[in-house]
Amino acid sequence: MGSVMMESHPLLTGLRSRLQSCDIKLKDKLTLITHIYKASASIPHKDSLILEWILTTLDQKYSDKSIKQKDIEKMWILLKLCLESVHKEGVKVAINEELILNIIDRADLSFIETVSSIILIVQILSNKESESQMISCCMKLVKKEICPENLLAVILEKVSSCPDAELNQGLFLSEASRHMTEKNEESFSVLCKTVVLANTKHFEGIFSKKVESEDVKENTILFDYLSNKGNLVYILKAANDSKLFPLLRTRLFILGCYLGGQDELFAQSESVLLAKLKLSLETKLDLKQVIINSLPLELSYVHDIQTSSSEKKTILVSRILSEALIEVLDSDGITNESFETIKAVYNSHPTILETLAPLLITRCLQHKNSHSHAILNLLIELMLKLRQFPKLVSKFLLYLRSDGSSSSEILEWDSDYLEDLGKAVLQIPRTQSLEIWKTLLYHLSTDCINSKENTVNPKFWSVISPILGLVYTHAQLIDHNVPEPLAARIVELIYSTFKDVFLPLYSVDFPTEKCKSLFEILTSDFLGFVEAVSLYRNIQFEEISSHKENIIKNIISRKEVGGYIKLVQSEIQSGSESKDVLCKTFRKTLSKDPSFADYFPTENLESETMDFSENSDWIAISLHAEFVKLHKSSKTFQKLADKCLWTETLDWSSRNSDIANILKAEVSTILNVSTNYECDKLQNLPLENLPPVLKLAATLLAFTSVFTLPSDQSVVILARCLEDTDIFKYIDTSVLLKKILDVKFELPSCLLETLALELTRHLKMLTEIEKEMEHFGAKIQESAGNYVHLFTLYLGKLTKVGLNTSVSEERRSAAKKLSSLILKNLMKMAKHDLSEHEVPYHVKAGVAVLEGSSEDLGSSSKVDKYLKRVINASGEHEVGLELVDKLLECGDEAVGKLVDSDLKMKAWKLVLGSQLTEEKVSVGAKILQSLPLEELERFLNIDGNEYVMTQILIHTKPSESNKIVKQKLEEILFATIKDTSVSSGDKAKLLLQLSEVTPSPVSVSVETSAIGFLMSSGSKDGKSPGTDQVDGANFCSPDTANILKAFIGNHPNIAAKYSPFIIESARQHFKHISRSQNLTENLEICNSLLLIFNRFKKKRFDWCKV
């Protein structure tokens, strides 16, 4: 009654009248329905009414050719809204089956809203009452040209949930397989397992022998699936479960191979159903997919082929699989898909590949690409695992002998293939290497070398010779550990190979240059192998050695290296008699070959990683190339551009050789080169260690580069090669010095230091510079940078010459005179205020003055004033500490007048405020030692870095002020040890320095307290940087162990009194060792503890009481 009342509800009646009215346009009706759903209007039974109207209208409009596609799409959108409401509210609606099937038949499934609406219809129909409707819709949908992925997923799910529904399951699955995607494969496989594979008795109808059509139930699911063009591969994927379907999958594999083109697997009269299946296929099955999705198989399964009533033939599945693989290679070649197929067989049935290995290798050599390389690697890996690598070689060569390969086709190994084979040869046992060697010799004799016609078969030669070369270069046959019986077999094989192969082939006319080159390469490998065996086993192969000498002579006479590159390289490396001739004969040819890059430098020295091995001949060639380049650009160094001059010189150490005399004569030429030249390519040469002649040549090139195109690199190169060249002996020293100092480039200290040293070597240089001192002095007074820098360094070098009693008196006098002239000019320069840039130079000069004539200070007011001016200018700079150090070292009363208390205070503050070095510690200690008692305390109370001050006080020598120093040291030592900003490692180093000073600058109690506090601080500070400490543990390190060792050594008489402290400290170190994983650190600690315990023995009586 209520339902009838709802049906007559005015709102529903009004909606029905509007939707059925012919006066209202379709557009307005669609707008009305849109507003109803957007406003969520409460109209009873509206969903049923609207759904019925939309479906009816859609069916009508699909037949109306004038309807716009836009309106159709709007109706599908509204249908989706309606169906969502029905699905959400759980409203039961009746859908006309014929109507919906008609709509599905014409629906465009490329429109997203259409697909969404149909999915909702399928879901609404998925109940017991509407099951048949849903199944009909699903069948209709999969038959369409397009079935989107998400729709197919719903269809498969719903059909799977209705196993008892009336449905042509084979036809349904075949239609669904057309729309298969990776996402839906799992659902499809589950359905196939349930529907197709659950009852295997239906398969007998397909596989049964000579069954008439009328006697077979042709409606088996699998037959329906296949006859309707369903892809067997998906059934194979579903059956790919080794636990459930091993035999079934094997039979399906046989069927797949038959449908993939292997017609001989079934006789034509064998099965009516098979014949029908064959006819129904438009294209053959993809054998690659059949193989991949069938594995693993029952290889031992025997398949019967009944060819006639009286004849019966059987075939193993292993052979079927092998032939299928061959068919894949024949049809597809070597591709990524065929490689994946072979890889799948390798993973499941590797023995199949063992059988097919010769064929696969041949195909890999015929079609070389990355996939063929990968297949070869698979085969090598397989044969190594099976320990049958020699059989791989022998089977392949036997296959070549058969008709498996065209007799006119020559196969060749690529370098990548040989590299992989070489790695395999390196892994196999020695006996297997010998087995391969003997196999190759057999095939060389029987298949390759034709002694009667004096020819070789290129088909076998191109394959065998590279493999035989791998035996000589990679097999582990050269070793002291080779057993004597095996060594005897190797020697025997060497002789037989030489007599049966190399001697006959040496006179053979090879058919191609490639074959000849392979022979020369193999000969090089063989001779290198023989040489190594000779050295290891101390066996002389005289006949082979004589043959090698003949080959070398032939190479030199022909002036062609050919394939003997390794042989020539070996001769050069071993330093044989023919080494120099080979180098000079083939320099131009071999220097272009990358394999000779390490032995023959290129003409332009472009290689940055070149290893010259300091070979003088090759370095000479490189230098000659640079002089040739200079001669072409500037028309200078004509004589040095002569190639014969460099190639015919034998002694590069003789300073009186022809080339040395020419180099001396050409020194002045470096002043006249006008074109730019860069010597940066000389940086790869070992310039510092060159023989004198080559070093002089490199120096000429470096000077030319600095003069024409100065750079950071060129000046460093000049600094590296200038020393010990005596270049100033062969030119006016002052002229060359002016040229180098006038370069518009700030010369670095490394070059000027070397230059200053060279200028002191001979009296000639000193006198020539003295003559031009007026010019040099003017430049110094003008503050010319390079001049001031050099002459301050030069002053220091001259001072040492003047003090050296082993130098001749004449040279010493000249050095002192020149020093005086330089100093006078520096003093004139210092009359004006010294700039910050100039101060370091004058500090160097001041140090030189103090080193040479400190005893004369005070007697010369000008020198005193100059030093005072330099001291005042450098007082605020760290560089001035060097001068203060030298002044304090002199300790003379006259020097004392130059160093007042203010200067010492400035220097003291500089030391405390700077980064500490050994030199600054020394300066600080000297300052404290020079202070009177009344000033010492003032200096010690200056605020500064306590860690720095502690180190200085530790190194201060004892004096009458030692009590004050000791008191201050003990005070700040504890402050430093407690300072958390200083790492535990630095504190340990500080205490180690303290413990190494004898007598100790602090009391024993203070020393032990500081050590104990440091070791206990680890538990508070945790891990210290640079140490292997455990959080919360006491701090221990090799330094703390050494501190304990030094403490006992410095206090042998009283150490036993502190035994509790020492024993506990040792115990903590043992605990640290048990926790630490730093083996190096632990070993150092153990060594120190061992020395400590050894010292206990010396005071055994004292320590036995502990």
Side-chain angles (χ1 to χ4, degrees), residues 11 74 254 346 365 419 526 620 641 664 857 882 902 960 985:
L11 290 178
K74 285 183 180 178
I254 297 171
Y346 170 79
L365 293 178
E419 183 179 349
F526 175 71
K664 294 174 189 177
L857 292 176
E882 183 181 0
D902 291 339
E960 58 184 39

Side-chain angles (χ1 to χ4, degrees), residues 437 441 491-502:
W437 189 350
L441 287 184
V491 172
E492 183 182 348
L493 275 172
I494 288 174
Y495 278 118
S496 61
T497 304
F498 176 67
K499 292 178 181 178
D500 299 338
V501 176
F502 287 101

Side-chain angles (χ1 to χ4, degrees), residues 182-328:
E182 188 177 348
K183 181 179 178 182
N184 290 322
E185 276 189 11
E186 186 175 351
S187 300
F188 188 81
S189 295
V190 171
L191 186 57
C192 286
K193 286 182 181 181
T194 306
V195 175
V196 183
L197 303 174
N199 190 355
T200 58
K201 67 180 182 179
H202 296 301
F203 287 77
E204 295 302 324
I206 294 179
F207 292 107
S208 60
K209 315 298 181 186
K210 293 192 174 181
V211 180
E212 297 299 329
S213 178
E214 57 271 14
D215 296 332
V216 178
K217 292 182 178 181
E218 293 187 7
N219 60 346
T220 61
I221 297 173
L222 179 61
F223 178 80
D224 288 341
Y225 176 82
L226 295 175
S227 61
N228 286 286
K229 302 175 185 177
N231 196 335
L232 181 62
V233 171
Y234 293 118
I235 303 297
L236 287 169
K237 287 183 179 180
N240 201 345
D241 188 336
S242 58
K243 296 179 180 178
L244 300 177
F245 310 107
L247 183 58
L248 172 61
R249 188 171 59 254
T250 301
R251 299 188 72 180
L252 287 173
F253 165 71
I254 297 171
L255 177 62
C257 290
Y258 173 71
L259 298 177
Q262 291 186 281
D263 298 334
E264 67 279 1
L265 292 177
F266 293 97
Q268 293 182 356
S269 60
E270 215 172 323
S271 172
V272 176
L273 296 186
L274 281 175
K276 289 189 175 185
L277 284 181
K278 193 79 170 176
L279 290 172
S280 68
L281 285 177
E282 293 181 354
T283 58
K284 295 179 181 179
L285 281 183
D286 186 351
L287 272 179
K288 299 187 294 296
Q289 291 300 318
V290 170
I291 294 171
I292 290 173
N293 292 289
S294 299
L295 303 174
L297 297 167
E298 292 282 346
L299 294 182
S300 58
Y301 177 76
V302 179
H303 173 60
D304 296 331
I305 304 174
Q306 192 165 355
T307 57
S308 66
S309 58
S310 60
E311 185 181 353
K312 185 177 181 181
K313 184 180 177 182
T314 60
I315 184 171
L316 284 171
V317 170
S318 58
R319 182 174 174 184
I320 297 174
L321 178 57
S322 299
E323 292 180 354
L325 266 181
I326 295 172
E327 177 66 26
V328 168

